[in-house]
Amino acid sequence: MKTAEIPRPTLERLPLYYRSLSLWREQGIITVSSVDIGRDVGVNVVQVRKDLAYFGEFGRPGVGYNVEYLMDELGKLMGFTTETKAVLIGAGRLGTAVVSYGGFKRYSVKIAAMFDTDKEKIGTEVSDVPILDMAYLPQFLGENEIELGIITVPSLAAQEVADILTANDIKAIWNFAPVSLQVPEEIKVRNEDLAVGLATLCYFLNKEKKDAP
Amino acid sequence: MKTAEIPRPTLERLPLYYRSLSLWREQGIITVSSVDIGRDVGVNVVQVRKDLAYFGEFGRPGVGYNVEYLMDELGKLMGFTTETKAVLIGAGRLGTAVVSYGGFKRYSVKIAAMFDTDKEKIGTEVSDVPILDMAYLPQFLGENEIELGIITVPSLAAQEVADILTANDIKAIWNFAPVSLQVPEEIKVRNEDLAVGLATLCYFLNKEKKDAP
């Protein structure tokens, strides 16, 4: 199983298949077809079959995929069954929205703590996650084997936070601040940038207007 | 100028270039090189030149790109200079985080109102945007030429909201609920799905562990 060779577009679709499967499992469905999966996640059936074939021959013609088995295999291969410990920095509106996201459990990600500089927030909790003093972050990282740092601070503070994270052995950063972070090469950064989505929609709407008779 | 032919990956990078340019403009920078742009947004220089070439020959060898001019041209072509009116449905944590996002102005998107069913929230404001009663949504859409609907309600309510939006002439949907919406073909839907980002990071972290000696 050469998971290292999975192309990025496939990799981006796998969590959608995984979520779709988990919803079927909850409904007690035993097998699904690639047509069902494709319709549910909005990907054409040929692509679904191709994507899932990277993981071996799971599907059986005329029968479909076993929901439980496929989900387990995908989960193992993608690392969703191994616990990942994370911290989130920036307990503002965005930070509290992210920490309330229901998907962390599905991927075995545990947010150990949130960090902020606001004295009003320090000592409180959001979604059962404690908000700690930012000054305590380096020590916390050293003591708790945290692998993932989630950055939800304003743009101007983001690089400084990234520097603290990388200096304290974090391995990956999920960045919600709209800036490009400078980090050592071995650190994986994933940027969630609302600008891309919004701009894509504006482009579409503008094109519609131009093309209108 | 055949904007319809811009490939999707290029389209996804353009807003990043645009934001990078707007930051330089704020700093009073007149010209930038493709190397500067590439470093800032994390794209290699050859790709930057190729992407920008879709919009004509803006750059001059040895001189670079004129920040102001390139920004204006990108803005016009992408529709960032035409006002787009939007509504946001779901004034919970995610909704208030999205409405507080600073990028709407940059793309000339105006959120006319938020909608919710929670009587405690109706009549209040977030980031100067009023929260109105969900029951009033169809009438509001009919009277205000809204083109874009932003969905930040829980998954179970998302399809119902999408149905109201599409029945009332919305042209595009920015969907933050982790479900695939069924909408008429002519409606453009953009899904912002945290699952993809999180799963990608978990996959990376798991691979690191497997590959470790």
Side-chain angles (χ1 to χ4, degrees):
Chain A
M1 199 75 64
K2 298 169 222 159
T3 54
E5 289 170 20
I6 300 171
R8 196 182 154 130
T10 296
L11 196 54
E12 300 239 324
R13 285 187 290 267
L14 292 179
L16 304 178
Y17 300 151
Y18 188 76
R19 192 181 57 209
S20 168
L21 290 166
S22 78
L23 295 174
W24 274 314
R25 188 167 67 171
E26 281 166 30
Q27 290 167 43
I29 309 273
I30 309 291
T31 54
V32 290
S33 67
S34 42
V35 175
D36 294 330
I37 298 178
R39 192 187 303 123
D40 200 40
V41 303
V43 171
N44 84 60
V45 59
V46 177
Q47 189 65 61
V48 172
R49 287 190 195 129
K50 212 172 142 193
D51 287 343
L52 293 177
Y54 280 101
F55 295 89
E57 288 304 323
F58 290 142
R60 286 168 57 197
V63 178
Y65 298 88
N66 181 293
V67 172
E68 188 81 31
Y69 180 69
L70 181 54
M71 220 186 128
D72 284 350
E73 289 301 309
L74 282 184
K76 264 187 273 175
L77 289 163
M78 300 279 292
F80 301 157
T81 49
T82 314
E83 188 178 82
T84 300
K85 278 205 255 180
V87 292
L88 182 147
I89 300 97
R93 277 181 184 157
L94 182 58
T96 53
V98 170
V99 88
S100 311
Y101 167 61
F104 287 112
K105 208 177 152 189
R106 191 182 298 138
Y107 304 107
S108 306
V109 174
K110 185 180 161 53
I111 302 187
M114 299 172 82
F115 291 85
D116 206 289
T117 53
D118 185 342
K119 298 234 182 306
E120 301 267 309
K121 288 175 186 161
I122 294 165
T124 65
E125 286 190 354
V126 177
S127 299
D128 293 326
V129 178
I131 302 178
L132 307 180
D133 190 334
M134 187 65 196
Y136 178 54
L137 178 60
Q139 191 189 334
F140 189 90
L141 293 170
E143 290 170 357
N144 290 280
E145 292 183 13
I146 306 295
E147 292 177 286
L148 174 65
I150 306 170
I151 298 182
T152 53
V153 298
S155 299
L156 283 174
Q159 183 61 52
E160 196 188 335
V161 169
D163 292 345
I164 297 173
L165 292 173
T166 54
N168 289 280
D169 291 336
I170 218 94
K171 292 188 180 70
I173 292 177
W174 200 10
N175 177 38
F176 287 80
V179 287
S180 300
L181 301 174
Q182 309 297 320
V183 298
E185 227 175 84
E186 68 274 18
I187 309 289
K188 170 88 172 175
V189 178
R190 166 93 191 184
N191 295 302
E192 292 296 329
D193 196 329
L194 291 185
V196 174
L198 189 56
T200 307
L201 289 166
C202 289
Y203 173 71
F204 168 82
L205 289 169
N206 185 53
K207 198 155 66 67
E208 289 284 289
K209 281 176 216 162
K210 277 188 188 160
D211 295 348
Chain B
M1 198 74 65
K2 297 168 225 158
T3 54
E5 289 171 20
I6 300 172
R8 194 181 156 132
T10 296
L11 195 55
E12 300 239 324
R13 286 187 291 266
L14 292 178
L16 304 177
Y17 300 152
Y18 188 76
R19 190 181 59 208
S20 168
L21 291 166
S22 78
L23 295 174
W24 275 314
R25 187 166 69 171
E26 281 166 29
Q27 290 168 44
I29 310 272
I30 309 293
T31 54
V32 288
S33 67
S34 42
V35 175
D36 293 331
I37 298 178
R39 191 185 305 122
D40 201 39
V41 304
V43 172
N44 85 61
V45 59
V46 176
Q47 190 66 60
V48 173
R49 288 190 194 127
K50 213 173 141 192
D51 286 342
L52 294 177
Y54 280 102
F55 294 89
E57 287 305 321
F58 291 143
R60 288 167 56 198
V63 178
Y65 298 89
N66 180 293
V67 173
E68 187 82 31
Y69 179 70
L70 180 54
M71 220 187 128
D72 284 351
E73 289 300 310
L74 282 184
K76 264 187 274 177
L77 287 164
M78 300 279 293
F80 301 157
T81 51
T82 313
E83 190 178 83
T84 300
K85 279 205 254 181
V87 291
L88 182 147
I89 300 96
R93 277 180 183 158
L94 181 59
T96 55
V98 171
V99 87
S100 310
Y101 167 61
F104 288 113
K105 209 178 152 186
R106 191 182 298 138
Y107 304 107
S108 305
V109 174
K110 185 179 161 51
I111 302 188
M114 299 173 81
F115 290 84
D116 206 289
T117 52
D118 184 343
K119 298 234 182 309
E120 301 267 308
K121 289 175 185 161
I122 294 165
T124 65
E125 285 189 355
V126 177
S127 300
D128 293 327
V129 177
I131 303 177
L132 307 180
D133 189 333
M134 188 64 197
Y136 178 53
L137 177 60
Q139 190 188 335
F140 189 89
L141 293 171
E143 289 171 357
N144 289 280
E145 292 184 14
I146 306 295
E147 292 177 286
L148 174 65
I150 306 170
I151 298 182
T152 53
V153 297
S155 299
L156 282 174
Q159 184 61 51
E160 195 188 337
V161 170
D163 292 344
I164 297 173
L165 292 173
T166 53
N168 288 279
D169 291 336
I170 219 92
K171 292 187 180 69
I173 292 177
W174 200 9
N175 177 37
F176 287 79
V179 286
S180 301
L181 300 174
Q182 309 297 321
V183 299
E185 229 175 83
E186 67 274 18
I187 309 288
K188 170 88 173 175
V189 178
R190 165 95 192 181
N191 295 303
E192 293 296 330
D193 196 329
L194 291 186
V196 174
L198 189 57
T200 307
L201 290 165
C202 288
Y203 172 70
F204 167 82
L205 289 168
N206 185 53
K207 197 155 65 69
E208 290 284 291
K209 279 175 219 163
K210 277 189 188 161
D211 295 349

